Every structure is written in structure tokens, then in C-alpha cells.
Amino acid sequence: MLTQLRNLCMNWSKVEVSWAGRIAALKMSLLPKLLYLFRALPIALPRTYLLNLQSVLSKFVWRGKRPRVRAALLNQSIEGGGIGVPNVLMYYKASMLTASQALLMTPPGPQWTRLLSAYFLPYSPSIILWLPRSLRPKLPPLPPFASLLRREWDYNTAKLINYHPIALADPLTVLGHLIPHFDPRVWTLHAVTRLSQFFNQEGFLPFSRLIDKYDIPHSLWLSYGQIRSQLALWGLGGKLSSTRPLLSPFETTCTHPLERRKMISICYDLLLTSTANKHWKYQRNWEKDLGRELPREQW
């Protein structure tokens, strides 16, 4: 694949195409080839291989000359101050996380997830992977692909969910591993299946609101107190400390598995978010010339 991409770029370099045109060619022609490779070969690709792929793309964009703009900036979307040049490493991670998302779905997703789920027995990956790694029971030996998906999920979880380390998209059955003798079935009978259903944008819902919303019996008061106390250990027992939505786009798709969304794009955008809010050097220079700071919306 590396040789094929290098040959394609060499052939296209002979054609007079604008800088923006070369970037568009990457997105429309080369990127689909890479994504097919990442999805069709579920193996751990060496970082050096991915960086070599990125180098080939960069040389094509700049026609073999020294880059005049930092790659980290160009990789950002237009809204983030960049121009959307594909980041090969992030797209590889996004492809693996898309596969991880299939394991997290309840009920089970594609047929291959059922085969991998057998290696997690006596646990279910759609439950156990939602737990923070420090609270997760020891898992049995996993095949290479399952280990890869688990590793990528553990490493990138904080970038994919809005509240960490406990995600509000967690199924209620996760609490069975945290609260002794907790029975989630008493809640699922009333269609309460996710932690996010205990919250609104202001914070943890009072018991009276849950009664009105889900018609739960008063006998669940003790169970409600257990859930609130457990979540309070993670700073989620009262008001939320952030103004972010309860669920990230990734979590929303996990809770609505039948909703058709471009999961690779969702994961890719979230992985780039960590640098999207960065104040770039060119922005500081412009603000210095203007004599004032500009809010992100204006940029």
C-alpha cells in the first residue's frame, strides 16, 4: 500500500494542480484507500508505517518542499482553523475505535462482534469495557484483534466521552460491578437502562423527578441512593461541573445503535478536539497587530 500510494502521488505530481486541489485529491482518492486498508486488515500497524504514509501525503501536498504550515494546524477542520488535511494516524485510531464501538453496542452489533464476545466470557464486552480500567475485573486472554480494540479504547476513552472516567452512556448493568448486590433489572423494567437517564443538563435528578419521568415505584429509593452515592465518588452525584452535553456524539451513537451515522468521522473529529481549541501562533500574531483578543467564534 505504501508503494502504491507513493506511485500515485508521483504520477499526480506531474499534473498542474493547485495546493487546495492536491488536498482535495487526498480526501477523495487516497483517503478511501487507506480507510479500506485499516478496516479490512484488523491488525496493529506500526507507528512508523503510519508516519511514513503521512510523510508521503505531506510531500505530495507540498510538492516535496518544506511545509510552510504546521501539520497539526492543517489537520484541523475549517471550523478549527485548519483545512482538513487527513491525519493518517488519527484515521487509523478512528477506524479501530469504530470497531470498538461495535463491541460496546447493546444489543450485540455485527456478526463478528458475537465471535469476539465469546473471548470475554464470563463477561460481556458491551458492559465490561465501559468500566474504567482500574475497576475492571481481570479479563481472560484475548485474541490479537480484541486486545487491539481494547487497548485503543482504553487509551482514547477520555477523548470520546464527555464525562470521565464514568461515561454517562454506561449501561446500568455496569453498576453491578461497582455496587454490591445491585440489581439493574428493577430499573430496566421501567425503561431506565443508561446512567444518562438519571441526569439532565443541571445535574443528578432528584428521586421525585424520576418518579414523574419513568413512573418508578417508591420502593427504589434505597437503590437510587446507592446509585447516587456511587456516582458521587466520581463527582457526578450532584451538579455537573461542565456545561457540555450529557453525551458526546460517540456516546449518542452507542446509545442509539440503529441510528446511521458516520462513526469514523465522529471518532476522528473527537480525537482532533484536543488540539482544536489551541491558540495558534498566527492567531496570536493577528491579535497583536489588531491590539485585541478575538473570541473563538470570530476565528
Side-chain angles (χ1 to χ4, degrees):
M1 175 59 76
L2 182 59
T3 303
Q4 182 183 4
L5 290 181
R6 186 179 287 114
N7 292 336
L8 279 174
C9 290
M10 287 180 61
N11 292 334
W12 290 347
S13 297
K14 301 173 184 177
V15 182
E16 286 297 328
V17 182
S18 67
W19 182 63
R22 291 193 293 274
I23 294 175
L26 292 183
K27 296 179 182 179
M28 292 186 292
S29 183
L30 295 183
L31 182 58
K33 296 179 185 296
L34 290 175
L35 292 180
Y36 177 80
L37 171 68
F38 297 156
R39 299 300 300 275
L41 296 177
I43 58 175
L45 295 177
R47 184 183 179 89
T48 53
Y49 178 79
L50 298 172
L51 293 179
N52 285 336
L53 287 174
Q54 188 70 54
S55 177
V56 171
L57 301 187
S58 179
K59 288 180 180 178
F60 171 68
V61 169
W62 296 105
R63 288 190 169 180
K65 299 178 182 179
R66 180 181 177 182
R68 288 171 287 178
V69 182
R70 290 182 59 186
L73 175 56
L74 290 180
N75 293 151
Q76 299 298 327
S77 64
I78 294 177
E79 293 79 7
I83 199 171
V85 175
N87 184 315
V88 176
L89 179 60
M90 291 301 180
Y91 265 116
Y92 170 72
K93 289 180 176 292
S95 298
M96 296 301 102
L97 292 170
T98 298
S100 299
Q101 185 264 348
L103 282 176
L104 293 167
M105 289 195 305
T106 306
Q111 185 67 33
W112 64 266
T113 62
R114 302 180 186 182
L115 298 176
L116 281 189
S117 296
Y119 290 96
F120 286 84
L121 294 175
Y123 308 108
S124 169
S126 62
I127 297 173
I128 209 69
L129 290 181
W130 282 110
L131 281 169
R133 186 165 44 180
S134 59
L135 300 177
R136 194 179 297 161
K138 185 177 180 180
L139 296 175
L142 300 176
F145 182 40
S147 297
L148 172 63
L149 297 185
R150 183 193 61 182
R151 183 170 64 251
E152 289 296 335
W153 166 249
D154 289 341
Y155 185 77
N156 296 287
T157 304
K159 300 176 183 178
L160 299 176
I161 64 178
N162 278 353
Y163 294 90
H164 188 260
I166 294 293
L168 297 187
D170 283 6
L172 210 58
T173 45
V174 164
L175 295 179
H177 295 274
L178 303 176
I179 302 175
H181 312 297
F182 178 79
D183 185 5
R185 291 173 296 180
V186 297
W187 291 94
T188 55
L189 287 174
H190 299 277
V192 181
T193 59
R194 300 272 177 177
L195 293 184
S196 58
Q197 294 176 263
F198 287 86
F199 292 83
N200 60 15
Q201 200 56 52
E202 296 178 357
F204 200 82
L205 292 174
F207 189 63
S208 58
R209 290 283 301 277
L210 291 176
I211 293 177
D212 296 337
K213 192 172 183 179
Y214 301 110
D215 194 27
I216 60 175
H218 290 273
S219 58
L220 291 183
W221 165 252
L222 177 59
S223 180
Y224 168 83
Q226 289 178 313
I227 295 172
R228 182 164 191 165
S229 297
Q230 182 63 47
L231 293 180
L233 297 176
W234 305 99
L236 297 174
K239 291 186 177 181
L240 296 177
S241 58
S242 173
T243 58
R244 290 178 294 180
L246 296 178
L247 301 177
S248 69
F250 179 88
E251 294 174 285
T252 300
T253 307
C254 288
T255 57
H256 300 87
L258 298 181
E259 184 177 343
R260 295 184 178 274
R261 304 189 69 182
K262 298 178 180 178
M263 181 52 65
I264 290 184
S265 297
I266 290 174
C267 293
Y268 181 77
D269 291 341
L270 290 173
L271 290 174
L272 289 180
T273 299
S274 58
T275 56
N277 295 324
K278 183 176 179 179
H279 207 52
W280 301 99
K281 183 178 179 180
Y282 80 89
Q283 293 175 324
R284 294 196 298 270
N285 291 338
W286 277 41
E287 289 176 341
K288 183 178 179 180
D289 292 340
L290 293 172
R292 63 189 181 93
E293 293 186 1
L294 298 177
R296 175 173 169 76
E297 291 73 17
Q298 284 188 271
W299 281 113

